[in-house]
């Protein structure tokens, strides 16, 4: 009896275990089925998204749009093509300028319109054009050479009045000033003298008296200039004193000018002057001329007002700029423009410097 009960109990336990196992396996199967359904749904959703994206890309491509990678590749191609075209354009432009007779400096300057380019001793120097220095304000088309060889102002500013002038020294020899006057010359800047480039000796120009008196007697207004090689303020004062002694008997209406140029020689006494030293000489000269009752002026070329002096440091004085060719390259203000060294004037044998004055002296 006891054994029969144990057997039934054991069978009951086994039956219970079987039921539990069946239930557990059923739950596992249900969870697996649910997970499969979820994965199928997600896969279907992803497939629909992928199909939608691909459809959109196909539509964009059909409309001429590009993928990001394709766009980057196209940008790089355009960049390389632009660089090549720019290089070729610059090369062709320089070649054309050189073939047309323009010098290398002129060709290079055309590539840097926002800078002043200066060639000196086999090198090029670049000076940014400053906004704190007064500009002359003329347009490239405001001047043209007339049939008489003089530079004419043809701009629209009715307030601008100009006069024709020359500058002379012993190199022009004996001048027939009556013929010069009839040729249309309004003023003459006469060299008073110079200082030697090596020994520094002060010299009066051989034709100073003849030129001042000849010009004045024929109704031509006169100014004077001095080729300076002063290396300090004391020497600048010596040069001014020589000028004042020479011009004292005459009616000098145009400025008294200091000529500051590079001597282009390693042995010149000014060869190693610094910018500050050049500027000190110029200021001393101008201040002493002004104190004597004359109008001071500084003469120079583009190199003078960039490499030798800083234009802003002499901006307070009247400027006589030497630049040959049209249009004017120097951007800052000027009062007299020496536009050629090969002018021809009746009454003068050979070449002579021609000038145009835009200030009323």
């Amino acid at each position: 009896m006891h054994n029969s009960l144990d057997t039934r109990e054991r069978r009951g336990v086994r039956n219970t275990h079987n039921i539990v196992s069946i239930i557990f396996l059923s739950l596992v199967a249900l969870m697996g089925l649910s997970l499969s359904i979820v994965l199928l749904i997600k896969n279907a959703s992803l497939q629909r998204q992928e199909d939608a994206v691909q459809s959109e890309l196909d539509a964009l491509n059909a409309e001429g749009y590009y993928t990001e990678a394709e766009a980057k590749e196209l940008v790089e191609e355009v960049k390389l093509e632009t660089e090549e075209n720019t290089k070729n354009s610059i090369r062709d432009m320089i070649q054309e300028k050189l073939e047309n007779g323009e010098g290398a400096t002129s060709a290079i300057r055309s590539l840097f319109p926002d800078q002043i380019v200066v060639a000196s001793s086999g090198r090029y120097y670049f000076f940014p054009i400053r906004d704190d220095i007064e500009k002359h304000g003329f347009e490239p088309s405001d001047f043209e050479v007339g049939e008489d060889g003089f530079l004419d102002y043809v701009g629209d500013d009715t307030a601008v009045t100009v006069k024709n002038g020359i500058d002379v020294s012993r190199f022009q020899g004996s001048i027939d000033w009556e013929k010069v006057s009839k040729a249309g010359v309004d003023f003459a800047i006469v060299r008073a003298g110079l200082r030697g480039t090596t020994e520094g000796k002060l010299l009066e120009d051989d034709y100073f008296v003849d030129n001042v008196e000849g010009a004045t007697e024929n109704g031509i207004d006169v100014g004077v200039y001095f080729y300076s090689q002063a290396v300090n303020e004391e020497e600048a004062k010596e040069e001014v004193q020589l000028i004042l002694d020479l011009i004292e008997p005459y009616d000098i209406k145009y400025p008294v000018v200091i000529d500051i140029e590079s001597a282009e020689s390693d042995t010149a006494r000014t060869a190693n002057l610094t910018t500050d030293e050049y500027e000190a000489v110029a200021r001393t000269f101008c201040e002493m001329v002004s104190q004597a009752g004359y109008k001071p002026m500084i003469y120079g070329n583009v190199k003078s007002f960039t490499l030798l002096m800083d234009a802003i440091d002499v901006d307070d004085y009247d400027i006589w700029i030497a630049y040959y060719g049209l249009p004017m390259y120097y951007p800052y203000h000027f009062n007299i423009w020496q536009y050629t060294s090969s002018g021809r004037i009746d009454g003068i044998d050979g070449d002579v410097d021609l000038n145009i004055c835009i200030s009323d002296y």
Side-chain angles (χ1 to χ4, degrees):
M1 182 72 177
H2 179 73
N3 291 336
S4 179
L5 179 61
D6 290 342
T7 300
R8 287 196 298 270
E9 288 178 353
R10 287 194 294 272
R11 287 177 179 174
V13 170
R14 285 199 300 270
N15 290 336
T16 301
H17 287 169
N18 290 336
I19 292 170
V20 171
S21 297
I22 292 169
I23 292 173
F24 176 76
L25 292 173
S26 297
L27 289 174
V28 170
L30 287 172
M31 290 177 62
L33 179 60
S34 298
L35 181 60
S36 297
I37 292 172
V38 170
L39 290 175
L40 287 172
I41 292 172
K42 287 187 175 181
N43 286 338
S45 177
L46 289 173
Q47 185 62 48
R48 286 195 299 271
Q49 292 179 11
E50 182 180 347
D51 292 343
V53 170
Q54 186 61 49
S55 177
E56 185 176 349
L57 288 175
D58 292 341
L60 289 175
N61 286 329
E63 294 294 329
Y65 294 95
Y66 301 93
T67 65
E68 182 178 355
E70 290 173 333
K72 287 182 178 179
E73 184 178 353
L74 286 173
V75 168
E76 188 63 26
E77 290 177 359
V78 171
K79 179 181 176 182
L80 294 175
E81 182 179 354
T82 301
E83 290 177 352
E84 184 67 19
N85 290 340
T86 301
K87 181 178 69 174
N88 291 336
S89 176
I90 292 173
R91 184 184 63 187
D92 292 343
M93 181 182 67
I94 293 177
Q95 180 177 340
E96 181 181 359
K97 288 179 176 294
L98 295 176
E99 289 177 344
N100 289 335
E102 294 189 38
T105 299
S106 177
I108 292 173
R109 283 173 171 173
S110 66
L111 302 178
F112 300 90
D114 58 340
Q115 301 189 66
I116 302 175
V117 181
V118 181
S120 178
S121 302
R123 295 179 57 188
Y124 286 96
Y125 300 84
F126 298 81
F127 299 88
I129 297 176
R130 303 178 55 154
D131 292 330
D132 52 351
I133 305 179
E134 180 186 354
K135 311 297 191 302
H136 57 67
F138 292 113
E139 298 294 331
S141 59
D142 280 349
F143 294 93
E144 64 179 27
V145 178
E147 294 181 358
D148 56 4
F150 290 120
L151 191 65
D152 297 325
Y153 174 73
V154 294
D156 298 328
D157 191 348
T158 57
V160 176
T161 58
V162 301
K163 292 186 176 181
N164 298 317
I166 59 176
D167 59 274
V168 296
S169 68
R170 63 181 295 273
F171 295 108
Q172 277 68 48
S174 181
I175 296 174
D176 187 333
W177 285 100
E178 183 178 0
K179 288 183 178 180
V180 170
S181 178
K182 291 179 179 179
V185 172
D186 302 308
F187 70 93
I189 310 295
V190 176
R191 188 173 75 168
L194 70 154
R195 184 188 289 273
T197 59
T198 53
E199 297 180 2
K201 183 178 181 180
L202 293 175
L203 301 170
E204 176 186 344
D205 189 281
D206 297 338
Y207 283 79
F208 170 73
V209 173
D210 290 344
N211 286 334
V212 171
E213 292 181 351
T216 303
E217 290 171 359
N218 286 277
I220 297 174
D221 293 332
V222 172
V224 298
Y225 77 94
F226 189 92
Y227 177 74
S228 176
Q229 282 287 292
V231 296
N232 54 47
E233 296 177 34
E234 289 303 314
E235 290 190 352
K237 292 177 181 179
E238 293 175 358
E239 294 175 356
V240 175
Q241 190 57 59
L242 172 63
I243 297 170
L244 296 178
D245 291 341
L246 290 174
I247 65 176
E248 196 276 330
Y250 305 110
D251 182 17
I252 304 300
K253 295 182 178 180
Y254 270 67
V256 174
V257 186
I258 181 171
D259 178 353
I260 294 184
E261 300 176 76
S262 173
E264 303 298 343
S265 171
D266 294 338
T267 61
R269 63 202 317 271
T270 57
N272 296 318
L273 251 60
T274 65
T275 298
D276 289 341
E277 290 170 331
Y278 269 116
E279 291 171 356
V281 166
R283 284 195 297 268
T284 299
F285 184 100
C286 290
E287 289 170 4
M288 188 170 175
V289 167
S290 182
Q291 291 171 1
Y294 297 96
K295 184 68 176 179
M297 175 178 275
I298 302 174
Y299 168 92
N301 50 34
V302 176
K303 179 179 178 179
S304 302
F305 296 106
T306 51
L307 283 176
L308 305 189
M309 298 174 289
D310 192 331
I312 195 170
D313 293 328
V314 293
D315 191 43
D316 293 337
Y317 302 110
D318 283 15
I319 299 297
W320 178 10
I321 183 71
Y323 181 76
Y324 305 151
L326 290 174
M328 165 59 79
Y329 178 70
Y330 186 69
Y332 304 130
H333 82 93
F334 61 87
N335 305 86
I336 299 177
W337 174 6
Q338 183 187 87
Y339 54 88
T340 182
S341 60
S342 55
R344 290 288 178 152
I345 296 292
D346 191 24
I348 299 178
D349 293 331
D351 294 338
V352 63
D353 297 337
L354 298 184
N355 301 268
I356 188 170
C357 179
I358 61 173
S359 297
D360 185 9
Y361 291 113

